[in-house]
Amino acid sequence: MRIWKFLGWLVIAALTLWIVASCTKLGLNYASLETANKDAPEPEIAVDTLADWEAGREALKARFEEVLYGPWPEGLPVSLVSTRVADPDYAGGRARLEELLIRVGEGDGAVDFYLGLAVPKNAAPGSLGLVIGQTFSSNCSVFGSTAMSTPGGELCEKTELPWLAEYIFGEYIAEVPVEAYFDAGYAYASYYASDMVPDTPSGGPEAMAGLAMPDGRTPTGALMAWAYGYSAAIDLLEDEDWLDTSRIAVYGHSRHGKSALLAGIWDRRIDLVISHQSGFGGAALSRSHTGERLDRVQKSYPQWFEPHLGEYMDRLVELPVDQHELLALLAPTPVLIGNGRRDVWSDPNSTYRASEAASKVYRLYGETGLGAKDMADYEPGDALAYYLRPGGHGVDKRDIAAFVEFLEAHNGAGGSHRHVMATD
Ligand code: GCU
């Protein structure tokens, strides 16, 4: 009897290790690099002219809101509660680090969250782009050793992640090497998504229920609510003297990469999107059976999605939309889709196929879309750039180098302002 019990525990431990290893940087499997032998994404994007695409664009956005993400919180009030200079000589004196306390919503339901903002000094007017990151971490882990605010409002010194977490998820999973962005001509801002809307099945919906838009509706999916955090930051920063408003970039990893894609679609002030390892509910195809799968993510994180999404989970093929259409909604905004070969959990293969299919719409705008030859070919200048590095789920030096390359490749001509934009 004892031996059976022991064997039972051994199986459970092995399974747990297998799941943890599969969805982290440790990744056990390799994503297939073969894409031509797989089915084309469905539903097909069946438009042949830019006019037809633009005529149907709002309806497609509405379908994603109804089925997957809940409403974009259009018109939800944004205000500045306070500003604090955290370090006037941040990064060896190169920059000024501030913290803004931002309020979204009004009355009892309003939520406040902190935005850390590092701006290189002595920048000429209109000369700096801005990367806004949405993260798993409070500003205490993002900006190095400066005292920043916890979500509760207390000051903390740098919060070190346990070395094991950094080993598994990469050295930049929480901390951001802001100077790499300064060198590329960008200021850097960051907020902790859960500081705005808690990432829990009960706390998330409760906070969202207090965020009433002018039409009385409230957001119902946390990915969409968090995406509004980027917009709130832009509302408060877009008139800054130093800002080049044609180079506003949003960045997110994993769940935040899903949210960054939504922000790029629903807020067209965003010129560049860096969405790293967004996986299911992000850039991976919902009909794919490789990796996590949409039904599993919906079950584990119901707060991220429109609650009715659950009704599709045993009939994913009937979903009226799929994620190549979501990527197409970003067109012509340049987007970088980051992947890891051993991050099969996020399904790099179907992500590539989604990017290929979405390129049709980028081409309608006169852009190449995905110009890469195959999954291993990274072309940072593509308007739909796909990047695959070795390794699993996390953020490391190679990723930062790829992000910066993408930003630099799209710098010269001034982000999306060189495109003919959709009329929304
Ligand atoms: C989980 C989840 C993924 C998500 C990831 C993350 O692994 O299942 O869908 O992308 O968390 O946010 O790190």
Side-chain angles (χ1 to χ4, degrees), residues 385-404:
Y386 178 97
Y387 152 72
L388 178 74
R389 60 144 165 77
H393 197 73
V395 187
D396 64 23
K397 274 200 193 81
R398 296 166 299 184
D399 300 320
I400 303 294
F403 303 162
V404 168

Side-chain angles (χ1 to χ4, degrees), residues 232-251:
I234 298 171
D235 282 356
L236 295 178
L237 298 177
E238 65 184 344
D239 294 328
E240 290 290 326
D241 177 54
W242 47 264
L243 182 63
D244 172 357
T245 53
S246 71
R247 287 193 292 134
I248 298 179
V250 295
Y251 159 69

Side-chain angles (χ1 to χ4, degrees), residues 29-38 290 339-344 347-353 356 372-378 386-391:
N29 297 324
Y30 289 87
S32 159
L33 298 182
E34 287 185 36
T35 52
N37 59 354
K38 315 248 175 350
T290 307
N339 299 271
R341 178 87 197 272
R342 283 195 284 137
D343 180 23
V344 179
D347 199 6
N349 187 291
S350 86
T351 297
Y352 186 84
R353 289 180 288 120
E356 262 182 333
K373 292 192 302 292
D374 53 40
M375 284 172 65
D377 178 20
Y378 175 36
Y386 178 97
Y387 152 72
L388 178 74
R389 60 144 165 77

Side-chain angles (χ1 to χ4, degrees), residues 23-24 136 169 173 199 223 226 253-258 276-282 292-293 296-298 300-301 304-305 343 345-346 393:
C23 62
T24 67
F136 297 95
F169 292 110
I173 187 69
D199 192 5
L223 296 172
W226 294 334
H253 173 236
S254 212
R255 66 198 69 183
H256 309 296
K258 308 182 208 287
H276 186 46
Q277 302 183 318
S278 63
F280 288 84
E292 181 179 22
R293 300 200 318 257
R296 212 181 283 164
V297 65
Q298 191 278 336
S300 313
Y301 303 95
W304 293 356
F305 300 101
D343 180 23
W345 187 252
S346 308
H393 197 73

